[in-house]
Amino acid sequence: MTEPLIFIAVGLALGLLLTFLRRRLGEFHGQSPSDYVDSFPVFDLRLHLRDKMICEGVIFGPLGRVTSSFTANFDVSWEGNVATVAESFRYNDGSRQEREWTVTLGKNGNFTSTAPDVIGEGQGIQSGPTLLLRYRIRLPEELGSHVLKTVDWMYLTPDGTIVNRSQFRKFGIKVAELVATLRPAEER
């Protein structure tokens, strides 16, 4: 009688292990900057994130349904290795949000970023046509002030448009995902 229970327990453990490995190695979090190091075009923050930009995107809830959409105007200015990114969002429900990031370039493609709702400092790296940024964000009080672990991947397309995909997690569970495009406001 215990032999079938052992097989069931081993089967469940193997199933959980395979699910964990698929999520960690084969999905969004399974990507690594080294996967893209030899790809092109090369993402250069100073070249591709500057001046006035337009951002358009959607936010998905935990069940994969769109919960919000937005457009935003970005104004990016550089002083040496430090960029200020002023963001002005307009959401589909009529609400607005103003944010400001500070991005500081480091060595070997590494950079840090801060914003008023980011806890500590975001850590990022540029690699080939991609940019990876990890940080913790505190949601506004009206959304519960939850702290979420965030992973942003940005991909540069051949025409200079940046595609951003972000996932937000609480206790390791995905609670939201954002997909957006970012492009120059006008031809340079």
Side-chain angles (χ1 to χ4, degrees):
M1 186 73 170
T2 60
E3 194 171 298
L5 291 176
I6 291 172
F7 284 122
I8 290 172
V10 168
L12 284 172
L14 187 58
L16 288 171
L17 176 64
L18 289 174
T19 300
F20 173 79
L21 289 174
R22 181 180 67 94
R23 286 188 157 185
R24 288 293 173 205
L25 301 177
E27 291 183 0
F28 185 74
H29 285 276
Q31 299 178 84
S32 167
S34 63
D35 295 341
Y36 301 101
V37 73
D38 293 327
S39 301
F40 55 85
V42 173
F43 198 143
D44 180 337
L45 271 171
R46 284 188 215 171
L47 176 64
H48 297 106
L49 189 66
R50 64 185 174 109
D51 303 325
K52 296 194 182 306
M53 303 188 82
I54 302 291
C55 181
E56 300 166 310
V58 292
I59 300 171
F60 300 89
L63 300 178
R65 295 180 185 216
V66 173
T67 59
S68 184
S69 62
F70 62 87
T71 59
N73 294 312
F74 286 18
D75 191 3
V76 185
S77 60
W78 284 91
E79 266 192 49
N81 287 336
V82 179
T84 301
V85 183
E87 305 172 334
S88 180
F89 289 87
R90 294 176 313 284
Y91 293 91
N92 62 302
D93 65 0
S95 64
R96 294 184 176 273
Q97 179 186 23
E98 305 292 323
R99 299 185 77 230
E100 186 171 284
W101 286 88
T102 301
V103 179
T104 305
L105 298 180
K107 294 181 181 177
N108 301 320
N110 291 293
F111 66 94
T112 59
S113 60
T114 59
D117 53 357
V118 169
I119 297 171
E121 208 172 55
Q123 300 295 315
I125 186 165
Q126 300 172 78
S127 183
T130 65
L131 177 149
L132 168 63
L133 176 61
R134 297 178 190 272
Y135 56 95
R136 292 176 44 220
I137 189 169
R138 181 177 304 281
L139 295 178
E141 193 173 307
E142 61 270 14
L143 296 176
S145 298
H146 298 281
V147 174
L148 305 177
K149 282 188 174 181
T150 306
V151 175
D152 288 351
W153 273 97
M154 294 184 186
Y155 308 89
L156 181 65
T157 67
D159 72 352
T161 298
I162 299 166
V163 178
N164 181 68
R165 182 176 179 205
S166 303
Q167 286 190 350
F168 305 86
R169 294 181 178 268
K170 177 92 174 176
F171 305 120
I173 298 168
K174 183 172 68 169
V175 296
E177 184 166 347
L178 175 146
V179 176
T181 60
L182 186 58
R183 59 186 164 73
E186 54 191 55
E187 291 299 316
R188 295 180 192 157

